[in-house]
């Protein structure tokens, strides 16, 4: 089976500073990939390149479902298939929770208001927020806001979901509720690429864990392999630093 | 002749009142037309200034800087007295509206730009990630938030435009000020001028009050 996300020789620089040093990665449909690594290792940049929120070098190639991620019309098609959940939620503060979830299907997929609302209510129920549908984001807790953000991404029925440190901005007691929603999503057929510091979650949910450092993929493999028996010294020292304290 | 009958001469005031009110109507017409055109032009300029190709951005920035620098009275006189030499002959009304709109659009553009730039980058990213087009990102996500921010400075600008309509009297526009000076000449008494001043106050004071309220409200956050 051919890969759903194809990343070939991905390079990215901020001026003189090279963030990504030619990454090759293939992710198949339905796979749950967790990207771990120290801050500044380029893991967020990597997933932000997949829907081209970050531009990358011309020689690099990314394709989602065979569609090249290049500027122009095709990019809109890719973005409609690739949902994203951000560290800082980025809900639209001037819309109710319900409208947040309804907006993109109505504008991009041209759903009717009725269909979009029905679907939004189903999704909000799925992430456990149905009672908050008519509230504004500012009246919700961080964990609730992030669950709305997940529902908003799901409303586009994406084939791929990108999570950029979805629990890093949350109070500790709210991390669990967001991770629970993500666990339920894993195995529903949607491809998930998750940048996270939650090692327990990665071990439990990921099909594959990718360890990045210094703009390179150092090591990739099933969670058991990466967490229990890492081959690379850098992986070992990173895991040692984050797990043993 | 005492002060009261000089400046607050009731018979003179009542006599000139119909003339003053017809002037007020003209003033309001010039003001509202210029405000609306300035808002539309300003929004267009702001978006071009932010997102158009570089060359267009430079041109728009030049426009904005020029029309914020030029004195409105000079511009008005150029439009009314100089343009006819190149065959562009505008009525007093359109001269006034053109000059006011050109300047108001420049100020409004800067206000809108500041408002759009104040929206967190994450809002643009979330819109892009959902696949929203640039147009929908602006119309549905960015502008509704930016407009909240810019309502106080925009209202302030509207007050300025309303006040500047008085300059139209120099191009023979029968606005409130012009009618007042004519009534003054006719009655040989300054009361109509005082009357006009009071009408300007009655028109603009509520707007000033509203701006103060809005600024207080928005400075506290939503």
């Amino acid at each position: 089976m051919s890969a759903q996300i194809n990343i070939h020789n991905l390079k990215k620089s901020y001026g003189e500073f090279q963030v990504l040093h030619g990454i090759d990665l293939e992710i198949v449909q339905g796979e749950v990939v967790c990207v771990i690594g120290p801050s500044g290792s380029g893991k967020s940049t990597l997933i932000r390149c997949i829907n081209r929120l970050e531009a990358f070098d011309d020689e690099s190639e990314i394709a989602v479902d065979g569609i090249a991620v290049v500027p122009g019309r095709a990019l809109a098609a890719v973005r409609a298939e690739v949902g994203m959940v951000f560290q800082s939620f980025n809900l639209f503060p001037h819309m109710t929770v319900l409208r947040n979830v309804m907006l993109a299907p109505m504008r991009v997929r041209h759903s009717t208001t009725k269909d979009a609302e029905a679907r939004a209510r189903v999704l909000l129920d799925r992430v456990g927020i149905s009672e908050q549908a008519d509230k504004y984001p500012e009246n919700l807790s961080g964990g609730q806001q992030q669950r709305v953000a997940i529902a908003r991404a799901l409303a586009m029925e994406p084939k791929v979901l990108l999570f950029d440190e979805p629990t890093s901005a949350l109070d500790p007691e709210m991390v669990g509720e967001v991770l629970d929603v993500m666990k339920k999503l894993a195995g529903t057929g949607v491809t998930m690429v998750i940048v996270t510091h939650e090692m327990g979650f990665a071990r439990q949910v990921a099909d594959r864990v990718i360890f990045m450092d210094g703009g390179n993929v150092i090591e990739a493999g099933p969670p058991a392999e990466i967490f229990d028996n890492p081959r690379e010294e850098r992986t070992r020292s990173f895991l040692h630093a984050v797990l043993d304290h | 002749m005492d002060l009261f009958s000089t400046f607050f001469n009731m018979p003179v005031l009542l006599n000139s009142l119909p003339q003053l009110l017809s002037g007020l109507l003209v003033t309001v017409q010039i003001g509202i037309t210029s405000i609306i055109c300035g808002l539309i032009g300003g929004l267009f300029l702001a978006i071009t200034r932010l997102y158009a190709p570089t060359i267009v951005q430079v041109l728009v920035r030049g426009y904005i800087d020029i029309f914020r620098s030029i004195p409105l009275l000079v511009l008005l006189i150029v439009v009314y007295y100089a343009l006819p030499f190149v065959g562009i002959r505008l009525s007093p009304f359109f001269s006034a509206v053109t000059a006011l709109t050109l300047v108001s659009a420049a100020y409004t553009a800067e206000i809108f730009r500041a408002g759009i730039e104040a929206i967190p980058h994450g809002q643009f990213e979330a819109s892009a990630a959902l696949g929203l087009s640039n147009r929908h990102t602006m119309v549905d996500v960015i502008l509704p938030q930016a407009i909240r921010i810019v309502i106080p400075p925009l209202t302030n600008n509207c007050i300025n435009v309303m006040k500047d309509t008085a300059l139209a009297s120099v191009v023979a526009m029968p606005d409130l000020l012009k009618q007042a000076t004519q009534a003054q000449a006719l009655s040989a008494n300054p009361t109509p001028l005082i009357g006009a001043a009071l009408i300007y106050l009655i028109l603009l004071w509520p707007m000033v009050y509203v701006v103060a309220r809005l600024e207080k409200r928005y400075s506290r956050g939503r």
Side-chain angles (χ1 to χ4, degrees), chain B residues 16-54:
Chain B
S16 63
L17 201 56
Q19 204 180 345
L20 292 182
L21 289 180
S22 84
L24 173 65
L25 184 65
V26 172
T27 287
V28 169
Q29 280 171 343
I30 297 175
I32 287 178
T33 313
S34 306
I35 286 168
I36 291 171
C37 295
L39 282 175
I40 296 167
L43 182 58
F44 172 77
L45 287 174
I47 288 174
T48 349
R49 163 111 156 71
L50 286 169
Y51 305 112
T54 317

Side-chain angles (χ1 to χ4, degrees), chain A residues 84 115 138 190 226 234:
Chain A
M84 189 164 203
D115 290 351
E138 64 179 352
V190 63
I226 299 288
R234 271 196 276 180

Side-chain angles (χ1 to χ4, degrees), chain A residues 111-127:
Chain A
S111 303
T112 62
T113 310
K114 204 171 149 229
D115 290 351
E117 181 176 341
R119 174 145 180 81
R121 291 199 185 276
V122 169
L123 288 169
L124 287 173
D125 190 45
R126 211 163 125 192
V127 299

Side-chain angles (χ1 to χ4, degrees), chain A residues 34 36 196 198-209 223 227:
Chain A
C34 284
I36 62 170
T196 186
E198 300 292 333
M199 298 303 152
F201 170 80
R203 178 194 282 270
Q204 194 186 339
V205 175
D207 298 314
R208 183 160 46 138
V209 174
F227 288 116

Side-chain angles (χ1 to χ4, degrees), chain A residues 103-233:
Chain A
L103 179 69
M106 288 170 64
R107 294 295 183 263
V108 183
R109 301 255 193 255
H110 306 292
S111 303
T112 62
T113 310
K114 204 171 149 229
D115 290 351
E117 181 176 341
R119 174 145 180 81
R121 291 199 185 276
V122 169
L123 288 169
L124 287 173
D125 190 45
R126 211 163 125 192
V127 299
I129 305 279
S130 43
E131 291 87 49
Q132 325 284 344
D134 297 319
K135 290 189 182 168
Y136 283 87
E138 64 179 352
N139 300 320
L140 267 56
S141 72
Q144 291 172 323
Q145 288 192 46
Q146 194 61 299
R147 285 186 279 152
V148 174
I150 293 172
R152 180 176 69 174
L154 288 173
M156 288 294 286
E157 303 181 319
K159 294 176 179 153
V160 177
L161 269 178
L162 308 172
F163 293 83
D164 188 3
E165 303 198 24
T167 57
S168 298
L170 295 176
D171 292 335
E173 74 269 23
M174 293 168 185
V175 170
E177 62 191 67
V178 172
L179 293 181
D180 283 343
V181 169
M182 292 167 65
K183 276 179 205 165
K184 277 198 273 175
L185 282 175
T188 58
V190 63
T191 310
M192 295 167 74
V193 187
I194 305 160
V195 172
T196 186
H197 294 289
E198 300 292 333
M199 298 303 152
F201 170 80
R203 178 194 282 270
Q204 194 186 339
V205 175
D207 298 314
R208 183 160 46 138
V209 174
I210 292 173
F211 173 68
M212 283 183 71
D213 193 14
N216 289 299
V217 171
I218 305 298
E219 186 165 1
E225 196 176 291
I226 299 288
F227 288 116
D228 300 332
N229 201 7
R231 277 175 285 121
E232 299 290 332
E233 175 51 36

